[in-house]
Amino acid sequence: MDKPTVQDIFNIFYSAYIDKYPISPAQAKVARNIMNCKTGAYGANVSICEDCGSVQIHYNSCRNRCCPMCQAVPKEIWMDARREDVLDAPYFHLVFTVPDILNPVIYSNQKLLYDVLYHAASATISELTTDPRHLGAKVGYICILHTWGSEMNFHPHIHTILLGGGLSHDNKWKDKGENFFLPIQVISKVFRAKYLDELKKLWKEEQLSFYGTAKKFRNHYVFKELLDACYSMEWVPHCKKTFNGAQSVINYLGKYTHRIAISNHRIIRVDNDTVTFLVKDYRNDGCWKELTISGVEFIRRFLMHVPPKRFVRIRHYGLLCSRTKKKNLTLCRNILGCQKYLSKLRGMEMPEILEHLYGIKICMCNVCGGHLGKPQIRKPLRC
């Protein structure tokens, strides 16, 4: 086998996986899409060179947001559009996490409790940034949900790209330079209180479900003990350094927005029983090491991170809220006297985008360099 891919792993081990584990409709769709991506199952475009007559076939991708072969172009288009939202101001990267003892409950109630993560993170930032003791301004930020650790273990957390300044109540710009303006200990306590308040509310309203390893929490007293343990623990949010320039913000966003549980380049080898891939060893300064697990376990871990149907993973808040973003950012630029970074891809068709990003000329014949005629669309097979 050449360099193995996630698609190869699903083709080899998926049938054994479904014999062993139940699978949700959303997970089954992701598995089906990955196995059929760029195979002809979703149709093809057939082009004939007008000069030499050679035939070139391009198989369609599945476009699933969990497919490792379908993220590159959407990520670049999204990043390019975000250029127009970036200001010449400090930015910070905040990570909100919850104690891992909550993981079974969260996995049993993904849609509800992922939403609670966004609500708690957003409410924490909004409350603290508008407080005159910290900044006293309305800021803008983007929240992105990740549910995995490096080993594809279940680890839900929110990445937040936070603008380090904002508009005061009288529409004046306020910031504190390159220094992060929110005390981490305060963030921890406020976030913990807001998350657990929403969790308790859902529990009292009997909206939570408990299955699998969360079954024990159906007992009122056991769940109460879980809440007490969470209140007594230190919740540890993390803040990374400021970004160096607007382009760094744009590039950094791309690292997190369209990331999935694992990409093809991290897979080292596959045999009849196991998969070996690279993971980060955070106990050893984040050095990369190899991890080998069974192929069925690899698929189990991968499918744990399929988001609920139509779940929005990238959310904009404050100055970046879509309803008022154009007005707010224009005002901020006028106050700061900074330029507007323009999109480079806006208005381009896909052939132009591919040539601009990767130098790929899909209208040029690979054999003679001549011009390919308009592609004929071949309908997909049923799969």
Side-chain angles (χ1 to χ4, degrees), residues 6 9-10 34 66 68 103 107 146-157 259-264 266-267 275-280 282 288 291-306:
V6 171
I9 295 168
F10 269 84
I34 288 174
C66 295
N103 286 356
Y107 193 75
H146 285 185
T147 60
W148 54 85
S150 182
E151 297 182 7
M152 291 199 295
N153 52 305
F154 189 66
H155 175 52
H157 55 285
R259 185 178 287 182
I260 59 174
I262 190 170
S263 53
N264 285 330
R266 286 175 53 196
I267 300 170
V275 177
T276 301
F277 59 101
L278 291 174
V279 300
K280 271 191 177 181
Y282 290 102
W288 291 98
L291 175 67
T292 300
I293 59 177
S294 73
V296 170
E297 174 62 12
F298 181 96
I299 292 179
R300 187 191 73 83
R301 294 190 189 188
F302 186 95
L303 292 179
M304 275 199 303
H305 308 296
V306 173

Side-chain angles (χ1 to χ4, degrees), residues 128 182-192 234-237:
L128 295 180
L182 299 178
I184 290 296
Q185 293 299 321
V186 176
I187 294 175
S188 172
K189 292 178 181 178
V190 174
F191 176 66
R192 178 180 63 189
E234 190 77 19
W235 292 32
V236 187

Side-chain angles (χ1 to χ4, degrees), residues 67-350:
C67 176
M69 295 187 289
C70 295
Q71 304 309 307
V73 174
K75 181 188 81 171
E76 294 293 341
I77 293 173
W78 189 91
M79 284 171 54
D80 180 72
R82 297 289 76 72
R83 291 173 59 86
E84 300 184 351
D85 301 341
V86 173
L87 301 174
D88 286 320
Y91 283 83
F92 300 89
H93 178 190
L94 271 172
V95 183
F96 291 93
T97 60
V98 298
D100 57 9
I101 58 174
L102 283 173
N103 286 356
V105 178
I106 295 174
Y107 193 75
S108 293
N109 302 273
Q110 293 179 49
K111 175 70 169 65
L112 280 174
L113 297 187
Y114 290 164
D115 279 337
V116 172
L117 264 175
Y118 285 100
H119 298 162
S122 172
T124 298
I125 293 173
S126 179
E127 178 179 312
L128 295 180
T129 54
T130 54
D131 188 332
R133 291 175 295 177
H134 303 304
L135 184 65
K138 182 179 181 180
V139 299
Y141 49 102
I142 300 174
C143 291
I144 307 147
L145 174 72
H146 285 185
T147 60
W148 54 85
S150 182
E151 297 182 7
M152 291 199 295
N153 52 305
F154 189 66
H155 175 52
H157 55 285
I158 293 281
H159 290 275
T160 302
I161 309 300
L162 172 65
L163 179 60
L167 295 174
S168 63
H169 68 279
D170 54 353
N171 283 336
K172 292 183 179 179
W173 178 262
K174 295 185 70 175
D175 68 46
K176 294 194 175 181
E178 300 295 320
N179 296 320
F180 188 56
F181 51 91
L182 299 178
I184 290 296
Q185 293 299 321
V186 176
I187 294 175
S188 172
K189 292 178 181 178
V190 174
F191 176 66
R192 178 180 63 189
K194 292 188 179 299
Y195 190 91
L196 292 178
D197 281 350
E198 280 210 51
L199 179 62
K200 283 192 299 185
K201 182 181 178 182
L202 291 171
W203 177 53
K204 290 176 180 177
E205 294 173 353
E206 300 184 349
Q207 294 190 47
L208 298 180
S209 301
F210 303 102
Y211 57 87
T213 55
K215 277 184 180 179
K216 60 184 178 181
F217 298 116
R218 293 174 183 174
N219 184 296
H220 176 93
Y221 297 103
V222 176
F223 190 84
K224 191 71 169 59
E225 288 174 359
L226 174 68
L227 291 176
D228 292 341
C230 289
Y231 274 113
S232 65
M233 296 176 72
E234 190 77 19
W235 292 32
V236 187
H238 178 61
C239 177
K240 295 190 177 182
K241 295 180 181 179
T242 54
F243 302 101
N244 183 22
Q247 188 58 46
S248 295
V249 179
I250 296 163
N251 294 338
Y252 203 81
L253 279 169
K255 288 175 59 179
Y256 291 94
T257 53
H258 291 71
R259 185 178 287 182
I260 59 174
I262 190 170
S263 53
N264 285 330
H265 79 271
R266 286 175 53 196
I267 300 170
I268 304 301
R269 57 186 172 272
V270 178
D271 59 30
N272 292 333
D273 300 303
T274 65
V275 177
T276 301
F277 59 101
L278 291 174
V279 300
K280 271 191 177 181
D281 185 358
Y282 290 102
R283 295 179 181 178
N284 188 22
D285 298 324
C287 294
W288 291 98
K289 67 176 184 179
E290 292 186 3
L291 175 67
T292 300
I293 59 177
S294 73
V296 170
E297 174 62 12
F298 181 96
I299 292 179
R300 187 191 73 83
R301 294 190 189 188
F302 186 95
L303 292 179
M304 275 199 303
H305 308 296
V306 173
K309 188 176 181 180
R310 298 191 182 92
F311 187 82
V312 179
R313 288 183 55 242
I314 306 171
R315 305 186 186 186
H316 302 73
Y317 298 92
L319 299 180
L320 297 178
C321 180
S322 58
R323 289 172 297 182
T324 56
K325 177 175 68 175
K326 184 175 180 181
K327 176 184 175 182
N328 287 332
L329 294 183
T330 300
L331 177 58
C332 291
R333 289 192 191 94
N334 290 338
I335 296 172
L336 293 170
C338 63
Q339 63 177 316
K340 180 177 181 179
Y341 297 88
L342 299 177
S343 164
K344 295 179 179 180
L345 304 180
R346 187 183 297 279
M348 286 189 184
E349 299 292 334
M350 187 55 68

